[in-house]
Structure formats: C-alpha cells, structure tokens
Amino acid sequence: MSENAITRRSFLAGSAGVAAAAAVGFTSFGAWQQAHADEEAGEGRTEAVHTLCNACSSKCGYTAYVVDGKLTKLIGDPQNPNASGHLCARGYGYSQIAYSKDRLTDPLKKNAQGVFEAISWDQAYAEIAEKVRAIIEEDGPDALALVQDPRPSGSYYAKRFMTALGSPNSYTHGAACNLSKVSGITQAIGAGDWVSDVENSKMTMFIGRSYCDGIRPSQVAALERGFENGAYTVMVDPRCNNSTVFASEWVPITPGTDLALVLAMSNVLIKNNLYDADFVAANGVGFDEWAAAIAECTPAWAEEITGIPANTIERLAAQFAEAAPAASIEPSWRGAYGCAYANSGETARAVALFNTLLGCWNQPGGALLTSSAAAGKLDDPRFAAPPKPEGTLLGTKEYPLAAASMGSAVFAGEMAKAGVLKGMFFYNSNMAAGYSNPAYLADALSQLELMVVCDVQMSETALLADYVLPETSYLERAELPEFGGGKVPYVAMRSQVLDVIHPNTKSCDQIFTELAQACGVGEYFDFTQEELANAQLKTVGLDVDSLRLVGTVQFPEKAFVYGTAPKWNTPTKKVQFTSEACAKAGLSACPVWVAPQTVPEDGAFRLVGGKEAIMTHTQTANIPELMNIAEQYGLDRPWISAADAKALGIEDNDECVVENEQHSGTSKVRVTERISPGVVYIPSHFGCTVPEQHTAYGFGLRIMDYVPFHIEPAYGSAMTQEATVKIKKVGA
Ligand SMILES: Nc1nc2c(c(=O)[nH]1)N[C@H]1C(S)=C(S)[C@@H](COP(=O)(O)OP(=O)(O)OC[C@H]3O[C@@H](n4cnc5c(=O)[nH]c(N)nc54)[C@H](O)[C@@H]3O)O[C@H]1N2
Ligand SMILES: Nc1nc2c(c(=O)[nH]1)N[C@H]1C(S)=C(S)[C@@H](COP(=O)(O)OP(=O)(O)OC[C@H]3O[C@@H](n4cnc5c(=O)[nH]c(N)nc54)[C@H](O)[C@@H]3O)O[C@H]1N2
Ligand code: SF4
Ligand SMILES: [Mo]
C-alpha cells in the first residue's frame, strides 16, 4: 500500500500542489514533498496514490483515492501529458477489473481432458521450465517466442526473459495495430511517428483517425482547441465518426483507397508548383523520380478509385498549400493504414512525403518530430542485458520492412502452425481473438508443444494455453517508470493503489523473475523491480519515492522547440522519396498506387472496423459498467448505409445475418446516413467467446471472425480490413 497517505484536508491542498508542480517542472516538487512531510497522519484518512491507467496503451496518469482499502475515486492528473487532467470513460470503467468476479485467482494447467485445474506456482514453474529446456535442447531457443502488449514492466521483464533464454523472437501486437504505419513512415523519414500540432494549425487532415472514438484525452482537447482556434479540420473516413463534431469537413472515401487520395493531392501540389521546393531540395532524395512516377495520379484518376470528387481533391490540396507550413496530415494510428490493407505501409510512406511537400516539419501548426525522455546508462552489472541471441527475429527475412521493435506476430502464428515455433508465451495479449482470423489462430496455436499465457482474466488466448498464470490487476502492483515523448518529454510511473485482492496472484516482475530462475537463467533477474526503477530514475535525477509523490514529472528543459532542423534518421540521412529497402523488398522504390487486394463481388460490402469510445480492444467488454452502456445504446451493432438498407429491405434495428466465407453471425444493425454506401462497419470490441467472461460472452459479433488469415507483403501486418461481407435480414 502506498505510503503517500494524506488527510482529506491535505488532499485539497495536494491537488493544487500537483498542478503547481506540473506547471514549473520537477524542480519544484521538493518543496511540495516538504509541505506534505509535515502533514500528520490521522483518522478519516483518504489515501491518494498516483498511478497509470491500464485500459489502453495511452497509460494516462491519474490519482486514485482509496478509503478503507476500497477504490472510491479517480481524477486524471493535469501534469500527465496523455491525461491532461482527464480520463476517458474506459479509464473509470476498467478500474473495476480489480474487483471483477471473473478474475483469475490461481495458476492453471490444462489436464489430459482439456480441462483447467488449479496448481501451485512451484508446479507451474517447474513444468514450464522442463518443457522450455526440452524445446531448447531439441530445436534451439529460436523455437520459442513471446507476444506482449508493450506495458512498462511487462515489456521489460517478458522480453528480458526471452532474451535470457536465447530467443530473438519477441513480438508486440503491432501487426494488428500500427506496424504498417510505423514501418512505412520510417522508410520515408527515419522516425515512426510525429505529432500533428492540431491546436496551432491552420489545417489538419485526419485519415482514418478519430480522436473522439480512439480516445486519448489530451488529443481530444487539442482537437477541440484547434477547431475553436479556426483550424480547418478534415476527417477522411468512410464513416462520419464522432470526431466530426470538431471537423470542418467530412470527406467520405472508399475504404482502402487513401493512398490514391494522398498521391493525387501530392500530384496537384507538384504540378501547380504549390509545394515547398526549397525544403524538398535541401532535405529530400529521389523527389524527381517520385514526381515522375505519380504524374498520372490526377484528381480525376483518384476520383474513380476513392469516390471523392476530383474538384474536392483539387480544392483540399490548394487549401493545404495555402495553410502550409501550419498544416499537416495527422500521422494516424490504426484505422486506415496501421495494419488494414495490402497498401497500408505504402500509404503511410506517401503521407510522410506529402507533409514534406508542405515543408511543415517542426513548424508551428505543422508536423512535429518530438523526442522522448529515456533512462540513461545503468552502471550496476546486475542490470546488464543478457547476451544478444544469435538468431534473428523470425519474419525478418519474409517481411523485411516490419519494424524490428514490433515484428510480425501474425507471422509467428503462421510459424506455430508450421511447427517452426514450438513454445510461445503471451503477456497482456489476446492474440487469438484480435490479431487475425481466430479460427486460424486457434488451430495454429494448438500445434504448440508449450503455450503459456499471463492474464488477469480468462481470454480466448488463455483458453488455448497449457498453463495460465494469474497476474495481479494493474491497481495491485507497482511497475517500472514509463519514459514518454511529445512536446514536453516526461516520465510517469504506476504505483500500487490497492492491496493484493487474490493472494495467489503475482505481479509480472515476480512471475518472470521466478520463471527465469526455474529455467536456469535467474542470474539476469538478480534485482527487485524497485531497485531497477530507482536505478533508471537516478539517471534523470529522480527516485521512486519522489516520483510516487507526483506520478508524472515533465522535463521542460528537453521540450520541443519550433523551427528545429529535423534530423532524418534514414540510410541516406534525407527524406526518402525513393527507398532502396522498399525496392529490395519487392515494392516500388517510391510510393505509387497499390490497390487493396480485396474486390467486393456483387452484393458484397467492404468491411471496416473501429473503436467505440467506451471500449478497448477485447479487454473491457467484460466490465459490467461499460457493457451496460454498450447494451443501452446498441453500440455493438454493425452500421449499414440508409441507401443500402433500403435496397435490401432492412430497417434500423432489424436482426440481420452478416456473413462471408469465413463466418456467419446474426446481429441487430444500425441503419444510418453516417456511412458510405457499399461499406459495413463492425465495432471491434465484441463477440467474446470465453464462457468464463460472464458479462462479455456471446454479446455481439467479433470482427476478426470475418477477416481471412493473410499478411501484408513486405510490411508483415494482418491486413485486418481486406475482407468483405454480405448482409441480409434474418428470414429474407
Ligand atoms: N477484435 C479486435 N481485435 C483487435 C482490436 C480490436 O479492437 N478488436 N484492436 C487492435 C489493436 S489497435 C490493438 S493495439 C491490438 C491490442 O491487442 P492486445 O494488446 O492483445 O489487447 P486486448 O485484445 O485488449 O487483450 C489484452 C489482454 O490482456 C489482458 N490484460 C489486461 N490487463 C492485464 C494485466 O494487468 N496483466 C496481464 N497479464 N494481462 C492483462 C486482458 O484481459 C486481455 O486478455 O488488438 C488489435 N486487434
Ligand atoms: N475507445 C478506444 N480508444 C482507443 C483504443 C480503443 O481500443 N478504444 N485503442 C487505442 C489504440 S491501441 C489505438 S491503435 C487507437 C486507434 O485509433 P484509430 O486509428 O483512430 O481507431 P479506429 O477506430 O480503428 O479507426 C479510426 C477510423 O478509421 C476509419 N476507417 C476504417 N477504414 C478506413 C479506411 O480505409 N480509410 C479511412 N480513411 N478511414 C477508415 C474508421 O471508420 C474509424 O472511424 O485508439 C487508441 N484509443
Ligand atoms: S485514454 Fe482512457 S483508457 Fe486509455 S489510458 Fe487514458 S483514461 Fe485509460
Ligand atoms: Mo492499437
């Protein structure tokens, strides 16, 4: 339990103190700490603990208030750059995971009948270690792999465990999230992301990215401020998403064709000499080749492909030129080109090049290449990295453009099916329900000789495992500090809010340390989580106790400065209009039109997915408080356009069959003007098939059931929207 206990009186003072500390940076919190050292402990104590949300990868910082050991209130921390003083509904709802009646409480082993039985930790460790040793002896450490969702402690401990065993095969969920985006952008500019300065921009275009659905509170606030400041904000989306409340214009587009829009807008800028020629000449390589390659990509050509009128494309390009350099295309995350189509990586590349034409890099209102804070070098030999594995990450050869920090987890799935991978560990990952076709993945992962899943509740992936290891919920554990980036780099930390609720659950640092010991590589884990956290924080002049007091510390001295000349971390040290690596990987050296590979046959609709503001992936649907909202508003319903519905004799809320070669299911549908004809949208959080999740089980359709198993050439993503469906009224 936290020692950061404060009285009700000091809580009020403390909130102001936290805001003040944030405003002037971390140099001030010594004084804040001193003020609180004087507070006497008394009765009626409210404990206030700074921690990080775990309901999505934004990990917003908040203050948890605990009365008599019970969580009573959450308030977003103003000094945390992702929260900026607010949490989203998921942050509140997901805090109830600690008290979920469906929590895993003991280590489980699947017996010969395929039924899970509770076993001791010692037995679990011993048996897993024996199987790990047998796999390494027989096939080498390269036959082992890990899939994890990057979380502060999990990504450190789980990956270190894999490395210590000698395996290079650590994957993230990227193949079903933003692998193509990050990898494509990297080919162009040598960094995987940027921050669009929406609030100061004259114009920002969002391509399949919705701040008000795929929420991060600080981004919602920035969009609102930008819109109120008069920024021209454009939402390119086959769906009129909820960010459209802060949009100047909704531009509906045929799914999978964003590349054609970006190439045509680029073509307009180049042809009419509306681009920043000086910037391009000074920073770019291969521009003439790209200009020639897209010479035929006119607005009229793109109209045919995208369904966007040529004069709209022409106008948007001219508006961009007018607004530049206070303008950019937002980098996006997942929706349109994170992992969706055969052309996702190439779309990402083209978007980065378009921003280069605007000359908007690091300009006020433009696209900012911000940096991240990081821990410095740790001197203590106990923290030295295990020897680098001899092998290379599986998939590097097949998908050479996939960012090595993520890898292609779906290819790992294919390799499990092929018998190349023999043992897999999953941490905070529900791959079997969310990374590609679940039926394919269930079959593939069932081939493994050893499958170990660490989770807080039974998941589709855990159901397939040989061993399931129960973790404490995020509120019952402390984690390593998280170093983050943005306009002002920061470090934040998850502290333990609640006492451990189920005595036989453990935190991931303990689980992987003990697993490593059992597997004979314990020497790489000869430290406590707090010792490591302190060592990391010492390199930036902090320690665990002081960071705990404020939760997040910003580094204003490292803040982004407008006008800084960008450094292009590409092989040529330039913005690459042409990329040798892309050519080598079998793509065009410069991004040209690549069609999505799925063409709807007669009567079929393109399938798109997306986030509902109150749910995260597959992990929140079992929270009753959130599911109640979904049920009340019918948020699980697929969307179909009013025109298509009319043609099919479907009315709002009619029960319909949604089917394709992979799957068939029934659901009520939402008939709306807010989606383009020819497109069906399925919200991505539903259709849970785990009976042990008593709230989520059986509710709604699961979008991945309709997605065939296939992988984007060169980039390695799951092509999660290369799919079509047919829809008809039940009984029709
Ligand atoms: N069907 C579907 N598929 C998707 C998506 C979707 O929305 N729907 N979204 C896509 C995107 S953008 C992404 S980033 C990926 C995300 O993919 P994942 O990172 O795999 O996310 P989830 O599907 O939410 O699964 C997370 C799992 O971690 C468990 N978990 C939660 N908290 C803890 C904890 O504290 N400790 C441990 N050990 N486990 C915990 C949850 O119970 C759940 O089983 O999925 C992609 N695929
Ligand atoms: N509520 C909520 N917020 C989240 C998450 C969550 O699970 N739930 N997860 C977080 C994570 S890990 C991620 S990756 C982000 C994802 O954030 P986003 O990428 O914004 O999320 P999506 O909702 O998948 O996609 C955004 C929009 O893309 C549109 N779209 C689909 N196909 C196409 C297309 O072909 N072209 C165009 N132009 N648009 C298309 C969809 O209609 C949708 O409105 O959200 C983060 N925030
Ligand atoms: S955006 Fe919402 S769910 Fe994600 S970390 Fe922040 S509060 Fe939690
Ligand atoms: Mo994601």
Side-chain angles (χ1 to χ4, degrees):
M1 183 59 73
S2 157
E3 54 275 65
N4 182 18
I6 58 175
T7 61
R8 282 177 199 280
R9 188 163 54 83
S10 78
F11 146 51
L12 292 171
S15 316
V18 166
V24 290
F26 74 88
T27 45
S28 66
F29 80 74
W32 188 82
Q33 188 175 352
Q34 188 50 49
H36 286 281
D38 301 335
E39 297 284 353
E40 88 276 41
E43 340 122 17
R45 280 158 61 103
T46 295
E47 302 208 68
V49 186
H50 292 286
T51 195
L52 301 181
C53 181
N54 200 39
C56 87
S57 35
S58 289
K59 289 160 273 188
C60 293
Y62 69 79
T63 308
Y65 295 92
V66 180
V67 178
D68 296 335
K70 271 286 217 184
L71 186 67
T72 57
K73 184 165 70 175
L74 282 56
I75 297 183
D77 282 338
Q79 72 277 25
N80 182 274
N82 288 344
S84 62
H86 301 277
L87 298 183
C88 78
R90 298 169 293 149
Y92 294 106
Y94 196 64
S95 67
Q96 297 309 301
I97 187 69
Y99 303 116
S100 167
K101 63 179 182 355
D102 295 336
R103 286 275 304 277
L104 291 167
T105 55
D106 296 281
L108 301 174
K109 175 189 180 176
K110 199 176 273 163
N111 67 20
Q113 289 73 47
V115 177
F116 282 115
E117 50 192 48
I119 57 170
S120 70
W121 281 97
D122 284 347
Q123 185 186 347
Y125 291 144
E127 292 186 12
I128 293 168
E130 194 184 316
K131 290 188 181 171
V132 164
R133 259 185 240 113
I135 290 171
I136 294 179
E137 230 159 74
E138 185 93 350
D139 300 281
D142 290 16
L144 296 169
L146 161 76
V147 180
Q148 51 98 14
D149 171 356
R151 306 278 148 168
S153 276
S155 53
Y156 179 91
Y157 277 93
K159 193 168 174 190
R160 190 175 175 90
F161 171 62
M162 267 298 112
T163 313
L165 292 176
S167 169
N169 301 320
S170 288
Y171 302 91
T172 71
H173 60 215
C177 176
N178 58 353
L179 177 63
S180 301
K181 171 208 140 173
V182 169
S183 307
I185 291 174
T186 301
Q187 284 308 317
I189 61 168
D193 209 357
W194 62 83
V195 174
S196 273
D197 193 11
V198 189
E199 57 199 304
N200 300 309
S201 76
K202 292 187 185 151
M203 175 169 181
T204 307
M205 177 181 276
F206 295 80
I207 299 185
R209 171 79 183 101
S210 173
Y211 284 2
C212 299
D213 295 287
I215 293 181
R216 172 179 293 174
S218 56
Q219 293 185 324
V220 178
L223 174 62
E224 183 180 3
R225 280 196 296 272
F227 185 61
E228 283 172 358
N229 288 344
Y232 197 84
T233 50
V234 183
M235 299 294 155
V236 180
D237 195 319
R239 223 162 51 94
C240 180
N241 64 49
N242 286 317
S243 300
T244 316
V245 290
F246 299 126
S248 316
E249 183 174 0
W250 167 40
V251 178
I253 188 167
T254 301
T257 67
D258 303 277
L259 177 57
L261 167 68
V262 178
L263 294 179
M265 289 196 303
S266 305
N267 172 296
V268 173
L269 293 187
I270 296 169
K271 249 193 200 142
N272 301 331
N273 219 1
L274 292 172
Y275 70 102
D276 189 335
D278 292 343
F279 186 85
V280 168
N283 291 274
V285 59
F287 172 73
D288 292 340
E289 195 176 321
W290 189 52
I294 63 169
E296 309 299 318
C297 297
T298 60
W301 163 84
E303 174 174 341
E304 289 289 307
I305 297 171
T306 61
I308 304 171
N311 57 10
T312 302
I313 298 174
E314 192 103 32
R315 169 179 55 80
L316 288 168
Q319 269 176 276
F320 259 126
E322 182 76 30
S328 70
I329 300 183
E330 204 270 354
S332 200
W333 198 336
R334 176 185 202 248
Y337 53 87
C339 61
Y341 304 103
N343 61 17
S344 283
E346 295 299 86
T347 306
R349 226 171 18 130
V351 168
L353 297 181
F354 181 83
N355 282 346
T356 306
L357 297 181
L358 298 178
C360 67
W361 297 112
N362 290 352
Q363 297 303 310
L368 316 182
L369 295 160
T370 61
S371 58
S372 180
K377 208 170 160 317
L378 307 183
D379 298 330
D380 191 329
R382 287 178 305 163
F383 306 132
K388 196 170 175 288
E390 280 169 25
T392 41
L393 178 73
L394 201 54
T396 307
K397 193 163 64 40
E398 294 79 359
Y399 300 97
L401 301 180
S405 57
M406 299 183 191
S408 174
V410 280
F411 183 66
E414 193 174 316
M415 290 301 96
K417 190 173 167 93
V420 174
L421 285 176
K422 297 277 168 61
M424 285 181 81
F425 289 77
F426 296 83
Y427 175 74
N428 204 131
S429 158
N430 193 7
M431 173 158 169
Y435 296 7
S436 185
N437 185 273
Y440 179 96
L441 289 173
D443 177 43
L445 300 178
S446 302
Q447 315 292 320
L448 292 168
E449 287 170 18
L450 172 67
M451 181 169 170
V452 181
V453 172
C454 178
D455 207 306
V456 292
Q457 63 184 0
M458 189 53 80
S459 69
E460 281 86 348
T461 308
L463 274 182
L464 299 168
D466 304 302
Y467 297 90
V468 181
L469 306 178
E471 191 174 12
T472 49
S473 78
Y474 80 97
L475 288 152
E476 304 158 81
R477 63 178 192 253
E479 292 202 32
L480 293 173
E482 162 110 336
F483 290 86
K487 279 188 181 169
V488 185
Y490 68 95
V491 61
M493 197 173 65
R494 173 170 293 146
S495 292
Q496 185 172 346
V497 174
L498 300 173
D499 288 330
V500 170
I501 294 169
H502 301 289
N504 216 15
T505 57
K506 298 186 184 201
S507 58
C508 71
D509 53 292
Q510 197 184 350
I511 294 172
F512 282 102
T513 297
E514 291 171 353
L515 257 179
Q517 286 161 349
C519 292
V521 292
E523 77 256 36
Y524 300 109
F525 292 82
D526 196 11
F527 49 83
T528 65
Q529 197 258 137
E530 184 152 333
E531 284 169 341
L532 173 57
N534 265 323
Q536 291 178 335
L537 289 171
K538 195 173 155 210
T539 65
V540 294
L542 293 167
D543 59 33
V544 165
D545 288 340
S546 50
L547 185 53
R548 235 182 234 149
L549 282 175
V550 284
T552 301
V553 167
Q554 303 191 356
F555 301 107
E557 72 279 14
K558 294 183 179 157
F560 169 81
V561 178
Y562 287 117
T564 309
K567 286 201 185 75
W568 311 111
N569 197 16
T570 58
T572 55
K573 303 293 172 213
K574 296 271 185 186
V575 175
Q576 301 194 136
F577 290 92
T578 51
S579 149
E580 213 180 299
C582 291
K584 249 176 133 176
L587 305 171
S588 161
C590 46
V592 294
W593 172 240
V594 177
Q597 74 180 29
T598 313
V599 182
E601 58 180 62
D602 263 2
F605 295 83
R606 289 189 187 275
L607 177 64
V608 304
K611 308 299 186 201
E612 291 296 322
I614 56 144
M615 289 287 177
T616 295
H617 318 311
T618 71
Q619 80 171 52
T620 54
N622 200 44
I623 300 289
E625 289 78 2
L626 295 175
M627 188 53 114
N628 276 341
I629 302 174
E631 272 181 294
Q632 271 183 37
Y633 290 90
L635 298 182
D636 60 309
R637 290 171 303 167
W639 294 21
I640 182 171
S641 77
D644 288 328
K646 192 165 174 218
L648 292 167
I650 295 172
E651 287 182 23
D652 194 34
N653 275 325
D654 274 353
E655 191 77 23
C656 290
V657 181
V658 181
E659 61 190 348
N660 68 8
E661 276 174 21
Q662 270 68 42
H663 190 72
S664 174
T666 65
S667 170
K668 285 192 172 141
V669 298
R670 172 172 175 183
V671 175
T672 171
E673 301 281 355
R674 288 177 54 179
I675 188 165
S676 301
V679 184
V680 163
Y681 162 81
I682 301 186
S684 66
H685 315 287
F686 304 102
C688 171
T689 54
V690 181
E692 290 82 351
Q693 290 192 28
H694 290 92
T695 301
Y697 180 61
F699 182 82
L701 299 175
R702 179 166 64 191
I703 185 164
M704 285 299 175
D705 284 327
Y706 295 96
V707 177
F709 183 89
H710 48 208
I711 305 181
E712 182 182 346
Y715 287 102
S717 288
M719 300 201 294
T720 54
Q721 291 184 175
E722 289 283 7
T724 61
V725 292
K726 289 192 171 170
I727 190 162
K728 63 180 185 214
K729 199 170 155 166
V730 166

